[in-house]
């Protein structure tokens, strides 16, 4: 998932957590994205806007 440049990245991650996603402790790259799991255990990532 990649967000538009004007979106609040942390707010989107928080929104996904409120919907049941789990944020992992493992980050990829230079901190430009966060790995998460959906409620079914599927892994996905949210990337910071560039």
């Amino acid at each position: 998932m990649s967000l538009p440049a004007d979106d609040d990245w942390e707010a989107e991650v928080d929104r996904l957590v409120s919907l049941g996603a789990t944020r992992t402790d493992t980050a990829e790259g230079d901190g430009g994205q966060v790995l998460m799991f959906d409620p079914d255990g599927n892994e996905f990532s949210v990337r910071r806007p560039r």
Side-chain angles (χ1 to χ4, degrees), residues 13-28:
V13 170
D14 291 343
R15 183 186 75 82
L16 292 168
V17 168
S18 76
L19 294 172
T22 304
R23 186 175 182 158
T24 67
D25 292 332
T26 306
E28 288 186 1

